């Protein structure tokens, strides 16, 4: 069928508007990532080879981009190069103009193509603004393009692409000219916007450089723009970019490079940064801009992507007098210990004082002010490899090998570490490396002296003599606690562990209490804020293991002019944390004197219906007046609360003041400090800071700690110590909450509204918490006032009593209801034990009689069809196949329970999910009775526990768990008490040692990484489909679209209520959204993008009746996960002590005596799923439909039947029910028997053919190939063949040996098994030996190369991630996170980046060179040997779990020597040979690194033979 | 302090010391010793702190059991007492006499594999400690209300309601036809389960808190019901059920065939030092006799064990179902067996034989047939299975029915059910008469003390909202 561009475009726009209005979709939710790079002539002399290299590189990163279904529409690509003056002058001459000898300026413009009137108007505006500045216009050039290189959709949205050429004075300095053009461009943009013209965009407007970009595939760049083939296109630099977007709507303007930079990654702090940037505009001034400064505001255009916003600020700063390296240093700083005395720390101290960092995965390539620069983020989350050639080219990019450079021409192969820069000063013709650049910048001013203008709070406290405010009387204390809605549970379960141990409480089994908006009980306002978290498009940070990149340092004081560079910018009060103790608050007040104003945040109990609103107006007015009067610190407090004064919820007060000051352009002039009695837990702190609070004094919590001291509940601790514990728990919790969003620095989190309101009135949010999203409206000011007044009456009437017992976390009769209460559990178990469907109906009636817990409880079915006889509905068997028992690990579950689930699901042809913990290979064989105990779905999570090639080949589906409902943004945890010998064996870890999975997958920091992992998995298992598990959140629709484009077969949307073995209570309660919201958003956005029929949608998180299943289907799901209910069917009674290993019914425990109590059987589980299916049939029959697939996505079958509590403004579920219009009938995913989404073949297709004989009979085989970086996962498919034919150990090591020459693509040798040996001569990219399962890999430079191997980078980041066995020898350095989560492989490399051996639980790593920082964080098993003649290594170690000693002669030294000999022999390593030659002196230069946990388990008599034989 | 809960995996269940049968048979004192502080803490720490505490779910009062167990384990007894007493007016009584094995302990999550937490014993320990330490104080309402409430019956339901209403400041008068406060607590339940000073202590506390008692006062005789209504803003009927169920068999009229409550009351009065003619005459004294008790409920258990203490020659319990299907507490059966009681399961009396005074019971064997619609198996007599049991005292413990209250009170308008219990609207707990409420056994039929307390508390809430609405004039507007 011919593509109907007009129709498609119209429908698309209509859908965007429709879904946008319902809050389901917003363009700002789009994410992108990609491949990025630069080429530069170090001498600054333009040459054609620079342009050609960049074009070549673009053609070698196609796999990092994505393609639309038409196979042609790319997500965008482009090139930023110098203006070839000759080329344009010739053109100008041809149009009849003379070269006036001026500065030639060229603008690359996207004009509206179809609206000719608008097109002409744009041209007029452009010309007008250029002429207004007094410049002479040569004319316009229509850029030749070849539309055959475009896909249909890209063509449909294609702009008219033209270049405007004009002349500027020749004597004008280049910087000055560029600055003027920047102003002209902003004026043009604003004029066009004022004319209400949309499809207009200026790619570049410059006398220096030019940007060609568009929505074609990267390899089509010269096809589409034949200009680029012209030999006159020469340049001294080129910045290039290939984009991968979650969107499928080709948006030309979002193609990169932008005016200054091209960005690979995602800015996690974007919301905070954009908010603060608009605040900074208040004070922005520069003599360089003068009056024109107003013309460039707003700096960040509306609707900018994160990369575009980053670019805008980069550009601003670069034009305002800072050079490009300084701009990068300021905006994307390196993580550095602020207390260090180093000059670098002072430089960064200054940078941090000027503006908040832009934080998140970032590899950038940038050009401005005649500097070319490559840089990375503080965590090094995106790779940037570079090659310096002997003829003076710097080639840097996301991968090595993108530009093929003959080995003899390579002078240096390197990589950028976290926060590093490499740059070329084109004016000076000089290459500058990170240390040179930073040393120079550190010396530009006496930063140290500047910084000494700021003061530390500690000094202030000392001055205050540690005075403690008189403590409150117990009666008032109790009344305030009652008023805050605290319960005994809050005190015992939440506060006590914080004050006693400095840790947050851990819970299990998820959240089955009602959403705050549906609750009949009083819930503090913070309960209406759901924490945002990262998934797929950006990674969470690891606040436990990578703490060093994070900081809570808080500056108090007004913020200066960001364009300035002066000592006054450092006039701040510095706090190490935003959490203030009572004494600190008092000291602060005393110190600030009249620079601070105290504002009372309470209102009169008798002030009428409008009391709260008036009070908020009052505090806003007071704050504004104070700031206008020169006050720099606003101190909000609810201390005046009494019998007649009611507190304003402090979140509301803080948001009111913050949003008001932002609107009044006053926010940067003052800090907002909050003292409140109702803030207790981490989440509450996070909300207060997230809505704009600078510091928080939770005086009520401190009182409560004091109360517990008085009761003797904190024995051995002083009040200060207890509070210090509490503070530590809060601080760690804040770091954790920030880290979920991938935010490292609290300044960038503050005021970032990294929440979604759930059930707060939209009007309220718009007024007090803009621009937070609130899709489901609800509680407004009136409701809040009613509730707080009622609470106030309760607290201040009658005798002071004890606190209520609570019931939010654990069921109590007087507390919150829980979806699984005693009666319901028993009723369901009875129905599953007896098989009686009548009993099941009794159970579902009990469920139906509960008050509303979930959003779906406010809806009911609504069909206009005649009911069908049940016999006409599809069978139980067919329905059961859509049901899944979701991932619960063996480790959390007892082996009995885990197997029972698998057996039951296999019996009914449905799927069970292994969870993250491996599976005993014994289960891959059928039982004697024919039962199959192997899970049909094998999970791959961030810990990669037990993920071997064998495991991955015994399933029909592989699930990548990106996030988990109970704790999105965090890794799993298995308490040490549950790690017995079996669990330790399956997970390749140490018995008794707590296992924590990293928050991110270290091979998924970005969407193209996910595509790579999916690719890898589809290689290692050629049949299995791949599922990606996400957690519901706002914006998940666009993420899911990206995941679908990454070729996932199934997307699982988990709700916040999902169960868990162990998770911090604040995460269980406050992170993630209901699946109803996530699912409908994903379904609609996929439909809009034409992707819905490509993927199966699955949902889980509290589904427990047939009604839930049909509702989920109507909201868009094809398949349904039933987790908690399946545990209950096996005997779980919601004791919620999974983390304690004391499950009294043997479900969630590893204790032998408790496992004996297990009474679950496959029959009971089968019965559960049968009941569910039967009920689904009944409901379908009632609705008049014959199958589940007929109701998928038909939201008209649902209607809202309840609007919740009368106190709510308007609880409207329409956003759940909105439908995108789609063509065609199919609304659901592909049928279950459809083939999986195909991925391209890799070199292995050839290798498998060439090795056919050996794969058949097992003979010895030697293969040889030349390779390029586009050939990824080499050896993986071959390993699948080996493991399926011969098992994990069936072949001898190296029996099939493959010699590879060139640059290997990502995931070289992923999951390679014993028997396969890969020898690379050249280098390799990221993820070498990912999941290595016994195979052997060597990488070494060619013998012809001229550089010193050990000083060069030869393999990329995240090498040996999750490896369980095998050997890697690399004659060169590795990148970041070498051997992260390695649990059995042995490696020898010659240096590594930061975070080496992180989370390692087994195996051995030898490093013959420098290591980066944070080595061995969380390493609890295995060993490392690190060569360090200078003795600096201990500074790079994260010592928490490790023991270091210098190597002593003896058996371990001999063992090490054996490994070196092997390395020397196999890779010809010069470094290894040298060390061996001088072994007697050099052996003592090695550090022997072992985890404290295994010290006593170390066998001193090491059998080096085992290693050597493995490589024979 | 780090939580030391969940110790069930390592600590075994241990009840407080129970006196040896031989010694405890010699008196009417309670048979369990008190926990030591150490063992109370250890036993409380066995609690699993469940996400869904089935102990609480199955407690009629929904006591926050896991919470006060945790507080006890952490030696925070004053708080434990606050929590325990917040949901229960008489925790020390429930701790002693509740059939925990059918309620909290029987539903304890660890019961199946590890034996339950000793909830009742800990509850008793907490409250006795509170009394010892002086934490238990008479009610002192922060406001005194002018409205008064009249309560008929000084049993568990009436006392609980009185306590709750006093806390809110109402003036409360309790009327009871007996001479002591406590109802069944004082005269029905034997001292070896509940020593009488425990009940008296509560009566004294209530009186000290301002509850007025009018004893020896029979409604419809000493004062009319109408007058009561006129006197009070609301009236609560909490009389309990006292009419003994009877069986009509050959020989029922013989001397020595007595109803259980008469027998138990006599024994209790005797223990309290009263002069009891029927006991002294030997009519209600089991000493030296062959005693047969008919029935399988808790009252039957009280009778057999009282008879043992009265030095009966032999004590036999006759019950028509088997051990597993008896309504009484298994723990009580064990105690009785230890004390030497013989159980004749699956047996029913066919006739009493004797000459003027009963001499033997003719018993028949029973077979349990198909379950009826309630799910219980129907007892069927096995023909020709007669056997003769020597008996010179037969105690009928077959349960209780409601007395004819409309007749006793002279109030036809008081609607009762076909079982004679007072009919109420369970939402408002009001009877057919405006401002007249009812609670306890007189509503639900013979039941447990703990249900009486629950009903009394619920009634107090209902009465409060009724009176407050009345004060605002809402009730009239609505009607």
């Amino acid at each position: 069928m011919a593509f109907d561009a007009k129709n498609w475009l119209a429908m698309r726009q209509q859908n965007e508007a429709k879904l946008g209005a319902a809050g389901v979709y917003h363009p700002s939710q789009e994410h992108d990532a990609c491949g990025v790079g630069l080429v530069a002539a170090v001498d600054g002399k333009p040459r054609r080879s620079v342009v050609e290299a960049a074009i070549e590189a673009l053609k070698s990163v196609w796999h990092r981009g994505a393609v639309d279904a038409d196979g042609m529409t790319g997500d965008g690509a482009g090139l930023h190069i110098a203006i070839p003056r000759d080329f344009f002058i010739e053109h100008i001459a041809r149009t009849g103009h003379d070269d006036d000898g001026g500065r030639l300026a060229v603008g690359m413009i996207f004009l509206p193509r179809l609206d000719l009137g608008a097109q002409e108007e744009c041209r007029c505006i452009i010309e007008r603004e250029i002429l207004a500045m007094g410049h002479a216009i040569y004319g316009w050039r229509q850029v030749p393009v070849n539309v055959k290189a475009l896909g249909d959709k890209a063509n449909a949205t294609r702009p008219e692409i033209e270049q405007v050429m004009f002349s500027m004075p020749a004597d004008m300095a280049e910087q000055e000219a560029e600055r003027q053009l920047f102003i002209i461009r902003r004026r043009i943009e604003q004029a066009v916007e004022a004319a209400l013209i949309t499809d207009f965009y200026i790619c570049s407007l410059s006398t220096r450089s030019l940007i060609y970009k568009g929505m074609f595939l990267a390899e089509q760049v010269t096809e589409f723009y034949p200009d680029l083939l012209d030999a006159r296109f020469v340049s001294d630099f080129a910045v290039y970019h290939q984009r991968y977007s979650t969107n499928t709507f080709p948006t030309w303007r979002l193609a990169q490079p932008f005016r200054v930079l091209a960005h690979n990654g995602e800015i996690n702090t974007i919301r905070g940064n954009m908010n603060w940037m608009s605040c900074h505009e208040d004070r922005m001034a520069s003599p360089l801009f003068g009056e024109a400064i107003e013309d460039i505001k707003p700096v960040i255009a509306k609707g900018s992507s994160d990369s575009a916003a980053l670019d805008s600020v980069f550009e601003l700063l670069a034009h305002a007098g800072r050079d490009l390296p300084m701009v990068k240093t300021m905006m994307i700083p390196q993580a550095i210990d602020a207390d260090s005395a180093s000059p670098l720390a002072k430089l960064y101290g200054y940078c941090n004082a000027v503006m908040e960092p832009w934080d998140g995965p970032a590899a950038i390539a940038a050009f401005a002010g005649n500097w070319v620069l490559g840089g990375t983020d503080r965590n090094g989350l995106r790779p940037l490899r570079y090659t310096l050639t002997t003829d003076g080219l710097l080639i840097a990019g996301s991968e090595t090998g993108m530009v093929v450079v003959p080995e003899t021409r390579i002078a240096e192969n390197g990589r950028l570490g976290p926060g590093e820069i490499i740059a070329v000063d084109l004016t000076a013709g000089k290459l500058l490396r990170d240390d040179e650049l930073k040393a120079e910048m550190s010396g530009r001013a006496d930063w140290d002296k500047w910084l000494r203008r700021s003061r530390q709070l500690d000094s202030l406290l000392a001055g205050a003599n540690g005075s403690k405010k008189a403590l409150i009387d117990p009666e008032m204390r109790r009344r305030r606690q009652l008023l805050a809605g605290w319960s005994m549970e809050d005190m015992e379960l939440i506060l006590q562990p914080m004050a006693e141990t400095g840790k947050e409480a851990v819970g299990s089994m998820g959240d089955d209490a009602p959403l705050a908006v549906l609750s009949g009980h009083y819930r503090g306002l913070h309960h209406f804020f759901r924490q945002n978290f990262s998934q797929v498009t950006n990674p969470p940070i690891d606040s436990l293991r990578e703490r060093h990149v994070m900081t809570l340092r808080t500056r108090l004081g007004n913020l200066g002019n960001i364009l300035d560079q002066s000592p006054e910018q450092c006039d701040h009060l510095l706090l190490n944390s935003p959490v203030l103790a009572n004494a600190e608050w008092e000291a602060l007040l005393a110190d600030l004197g009249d620079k601070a104003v105290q504002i009372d945040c309470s209102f009169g109990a008798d002030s009428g219906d409008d009391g709260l609103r008036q009070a908020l107006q009052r505090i806003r007015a007071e704050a504004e007046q104070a700031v206008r009067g020169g006050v720099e610190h606003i101190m909000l407090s609810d201390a005046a609360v009494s019998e007649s004064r009611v507190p304003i919820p402090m979140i509301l007060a803080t948001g009111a003041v913050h949003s008001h000051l932002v609107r009044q352009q006053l926010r940067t002039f003052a800090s907002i400090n909050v003292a409140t009695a109702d803030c207790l837990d981490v989440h509450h702190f996070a909300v207060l800071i997230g809505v704009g609070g600078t510091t928080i004094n939770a005086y009520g919590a401190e009182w409560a700690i004091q109360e517990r001291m008085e009761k003797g509940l904190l024995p051995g601790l002083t009040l200060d110590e207890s509070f210090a514990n509490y503070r530590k728990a809060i601080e760690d919790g804040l770091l954790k909450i920030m880290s979920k969003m991938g935010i490292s620095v609290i300044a960038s989190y503050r005021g970032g509204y990294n929440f979604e309101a759930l059930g707060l009135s939209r009007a309220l949010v718009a007024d007090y918490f803009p621009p937070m999203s609130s899709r489901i409206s609800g509680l407004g000011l009136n409701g809040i006032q009613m509730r707080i007044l009622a609470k106030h009456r309760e607290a201040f009437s009658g005798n002071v009593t004890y606190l209520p017992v609570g019931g939010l976390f654990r069921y109590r009769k007087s507390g919150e209801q829980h979806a699984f209460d005693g009666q319901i559990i028993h009723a369901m178990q009875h129905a599953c034990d007896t098989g009686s469907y009548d009993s099941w109906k009794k159970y579902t009636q009990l469920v139906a009689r509960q008050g509303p817990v979930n959003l779906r409880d406010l809806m009911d079915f609504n069909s206009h069809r005649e009911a069908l006889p049940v016999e006409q509905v599809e069978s139980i068997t067919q329905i059961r196949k859509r049901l899944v028992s979701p991932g619960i690990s063996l480790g959390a579950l007892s082996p009995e329970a885990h197997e029972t689930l698998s057996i039951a699901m296999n019996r009914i042809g449905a799927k069970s999910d292994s969870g993250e913990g491996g599976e005993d290979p014994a289960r891959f064989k059928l039982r004697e009775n024919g039962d199959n105990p192997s899970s049909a779905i094998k999970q791959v999570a961030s810990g990669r526990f037990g993920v071997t090639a064998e495991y991955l080949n015994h399933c029909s589906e592989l699930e990548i768990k990106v996030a988990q409902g109970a704790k999105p943004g965090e890794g799993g945890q298995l308490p040490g008490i549950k790690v017995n010998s079996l669990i330790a064996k399956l997970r390749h870890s140490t018995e008794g040692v707590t296992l924590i999975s990293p928050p991110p997958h270290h091979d998924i920091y970005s969407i193209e990484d996910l595509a790579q992992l999916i690719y890898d998995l589809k290689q290692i298992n050629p049949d299995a489909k791949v599922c990606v598990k996400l957690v519901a959140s706002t914006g998940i629709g666009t993420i899911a679209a990206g995941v679908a484009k990454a070729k996932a077969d199934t997307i699982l949307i988990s709700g916040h209520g999902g169960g868990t073995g162990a998770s911090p209570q604040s995460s269980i309660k406050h992170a993630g959204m209901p699946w109803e919201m996530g699912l409908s958003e994903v379904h609609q956005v996929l439909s809009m993008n034409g992707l819905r029929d490509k993927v199966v949608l699955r949902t889980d998180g509290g589904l427990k009746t047939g009604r839930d299943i049909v509702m989920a289907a109507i909201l868009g799901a094809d398949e349904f996960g039933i987790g908690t209910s399946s545990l209950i069917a096996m005997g779980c009674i919601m004791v919620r002590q999974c983390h304690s290993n004391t499950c009294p019914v043997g479900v969630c425990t590893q204790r032998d005596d408790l496992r004996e109590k297990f009474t679950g059987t496959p029959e009971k589980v089968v019965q559960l799923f049968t009941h569910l299916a039967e009920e689904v049939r009944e409901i379908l029959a009632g609705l008049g439909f014959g199958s589940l697939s007929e109701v998928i996505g038909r939201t008209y079958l649902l209607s809202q039947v309840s609007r919740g509590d009368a106190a709510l403004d308007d609880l409207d579920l329409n956003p759940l029910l909105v439908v995108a219009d789609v063509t065609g009938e199919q609304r659901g995913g592909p049928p279950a028997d459809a083939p999986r989404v195909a991925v391209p073949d890799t070199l292995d297709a050839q290798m498998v053919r060439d090795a056919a004989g050996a794969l058949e009979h097992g003979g010895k085989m030697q293969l040889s190939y030349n390779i390029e970086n586009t050939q990824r996962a080499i050896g993986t498919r071959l390993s699948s063949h080996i493991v399926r034919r011969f098992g994990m150990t069936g072949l001898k090591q190296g029996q099939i040996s493959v010699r590879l020459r060139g640059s290997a693509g990502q995931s070289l040798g992923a999951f390679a098994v014993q028997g396969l040996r890969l020898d690379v001569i050249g280098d390799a990219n990221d993820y070498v030996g990912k999941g290595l399962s016994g195979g052997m890999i060597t990488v070494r430079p060619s013998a012809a190369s001229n550089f010193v191997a050990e000083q060069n980078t030869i393999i990329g980041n995240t090498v040996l991630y999750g490896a369980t066995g095998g050997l890697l020898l690399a004659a060169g350095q590795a990148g970041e996170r070498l051997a992260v989560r390695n649990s059995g492989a042995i490696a020898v490399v010659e240096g590594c980046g930061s975070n080496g051996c992180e989370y390692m639980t087994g195996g051995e790593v030898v490093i013959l060179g420098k290591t980066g920082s944070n080595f061995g964080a969380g390493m609890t098993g295995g060993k490392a040997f690190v060569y360090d003649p200078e003795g600096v290594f201990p500074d790079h170690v994260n010592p928490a779990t490790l023991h270091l000693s210098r190597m002593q002669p003896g058996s371990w030294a001999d063992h090490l020597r054996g490994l070196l000999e092997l390395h020397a022999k196999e890779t010809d390593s010069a470094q290894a040979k040298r060390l061996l030659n001088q072994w007697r002196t050099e052996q003592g230069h090695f550090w022997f690194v072992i985890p404290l946990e295994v010290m006593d388990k170390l066998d001193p008599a090491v059998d080096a033979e085992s290693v050597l034989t493995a490589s024979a | 302090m780090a939580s030391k809960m969940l110790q069930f995996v390592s600590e075994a269940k241990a009840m407080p010391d129970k006196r040896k049968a031989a010694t405890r048979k010699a008196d009417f004192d309670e048979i369990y010793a008190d926990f030591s502080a150490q063992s109370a803490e250890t036993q409380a720490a066995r609690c699993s702190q469940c996400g869904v505490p089935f102990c609480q779910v199955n407690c009629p009062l929904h006591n926050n059991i896991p919470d006060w167990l945790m507080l006890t384990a952490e030696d925070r007894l004053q708080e434990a007492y606050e929590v325990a007493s917040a949901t229960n007016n008489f925790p020390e009584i429930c701790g002693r006499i509740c059939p925990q094995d059918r309620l909290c302990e029987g539903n304890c999550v660890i019961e199946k594999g590890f034996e339950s937490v000793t909830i009742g014993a800990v509850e008793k320990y907490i409250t006795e400690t509170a009394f010892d330490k002086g934490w238990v104080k008479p009610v002192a309402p922060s406001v005194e209300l002018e409205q008064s409430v009249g309560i008929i019956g000084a049993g568990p339901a009436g006392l609980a309601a009185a306590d709750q209403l006093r806390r809110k400041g109402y003036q409360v008068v309790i009327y009871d036809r007996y001479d002591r406060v406590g109802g069944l607590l004082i005269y029905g339940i034997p001292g070896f389960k509940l020593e009488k000073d425990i009940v008296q202590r509560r009566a004294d506390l209530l009186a000290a808190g301002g509850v007025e008692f009018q004893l020896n006062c029979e409604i419809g005789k000493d004062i009319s019901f109408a007058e009561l209504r006129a006197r009070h803003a609301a009236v609560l009927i909490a009389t309990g059920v006292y009419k003994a169920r009877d069986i009509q068999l050959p020989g029922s009229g013989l001397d020595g065939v007595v109803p259980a409550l008469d027998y138990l009351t006599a024994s209790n009065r005797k223990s309290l030092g009263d002069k009891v003619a029927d006991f002294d005459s030997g009519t209600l004294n089991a000493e030296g006799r062959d005693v047969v008790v008919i029935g399988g409920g808790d009252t039957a258990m009280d009778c057999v064990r009282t008879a043992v203490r009265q030095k009966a020659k032999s004590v036999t319990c006759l019950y028509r179902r088997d051990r597993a299907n008896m309504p009484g507490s298994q723990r009580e059966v064990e105690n009785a067996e230890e004390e030497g009681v013989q159980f004749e399961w699956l047996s029913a009396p066919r006739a009493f034989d004797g000459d003027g005074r009963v001499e033997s019971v003719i018993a028949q064997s029973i077979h349990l047939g198909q379950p009826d619609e309630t799910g219980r198996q129907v007892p069927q007599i096995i023909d020709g299975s007669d056997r003769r049991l020597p008996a010179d005292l037969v105690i009928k413990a077959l349960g209780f029915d409601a007395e004819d209250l409309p007749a006793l009170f002279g109030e036809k308008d008081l609607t009762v059910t076909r079982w004679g219990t007072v009919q109420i609207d369970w939402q408002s707990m009001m009877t057919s008469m405006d401002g007249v409420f009812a609670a306890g056994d007189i509503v639900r039929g013979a039941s447990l003390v703990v249900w009486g307390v629950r009903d009394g508390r619920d009634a107090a809430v209902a009465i409060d909202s009724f009176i407050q609405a009345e004060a605002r004039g809402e009730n009239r507007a609505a009607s």
Side-chain angles (χ1 to χ4, degrees), chain A residues 63-194:
Chain A
H63 55 281
R64 297 180 85 94
V67 191
D68 189 61
D70 63 13
M72 289 286 280
T73 299
D75 284 345
L79 208 55
H80 187 183
I81 48 175
I83 294 175
R85 194 166 195 280
D86 298 350
F87 176 89
F88 283 100
I89 292 300
E90 183 195 289
H91 186 82
I92 289 164
R94 241 190 285 150
T95 56
H97 290 278
D98 292 330
D99 175 7
D100 64 3
R103 282 191 163 276
L104 172 67
V106 179
M108 180 85 171
I109 321 279
F110 289 168
L111 296 163
R113 182 165 60 95
L114 302 172
D115 183 344
L116 295 179
Q119 196 181 96
E120 193 49 37
E121 195 175 343
C122 292
R123 285 199 198 91
C124 290
I125 291 170
I126 292 169
E127 293 183 9
R128 186 181 75 214
E129 294 298 338
I130 292 170
L131 292 172
M133 276 283 193
H135 306 309
I137 294 176
Y138 289 127
W140 291 81
R141 170 175 185 256
Q142 191 175 35
V143 181
V145 296
N146 177 4
V147 297
K148 292 205 185 83
L150 291 181
D152 289 335
K153 290 182 189 171
N155 197 28
T157 56
R158 173 170 58 89
E160 168 71 14
I161 304 170
E162 296 191 4
Q163 287 163 339
V164 61
M165 298 164 294
F166 54 100
S167 172
M168 293 176 73
D171 56 354
M172 195 180 228
E174 185 174 298
Q175 281 285 350
E176 177 59 28
E178 293 298 303
R179 191 176 305 120
Q180 206 180 77
L181 288 170
F182 172 53
I183 295 165
I184 292 175
R185 196 190 82 226
R186 291 297 295 137
R187 285 178 180 165
I188 294 170
E189 284 165 351
Q190 281 168 21
V192 171
E193 198 182 323

Side-chain angles (χ1 to χ4, degrees), chain A residues 1302-1318:
Chain A
S1303 290
Q1306 298 168 86
S1307 304
L1308 169 73
F1311 307 109
V1313 295
Q1314 184 174 315
L1316 178 62
R1317 172 176 175 153
L1318 300 169

Side-chain angles (χ1 to χ4, degrees), chain A residues 845-890:
Chain A
Q845 278 156 16
L846 281 175
V847 174
R849 277 210 299 273
Q850 278 191 320
V853 174
N854 298 298
L855 293 177
R856 60 185 177 279
D857 300 334
L858 302 181
M859 298 191 289
D860 207 350
F861 300 114
N862 171 35
S863 177
H864 303 295
R865 287 204 191 181
E866 292 261 328
L868 288 177
V870 175
E871 299 72 47
Q872 290 183 25
V873 180
E874 63 180 329
S875 68
I876 285 179
T877 305
Q878 281 167 302
I879 291 170
R880 283 194 313 206
K881 284 185 180 162
R882 292 177 178 270
L883 306 182
V884 177
S885 74
I888 315 170
S889 76
L890 173 58

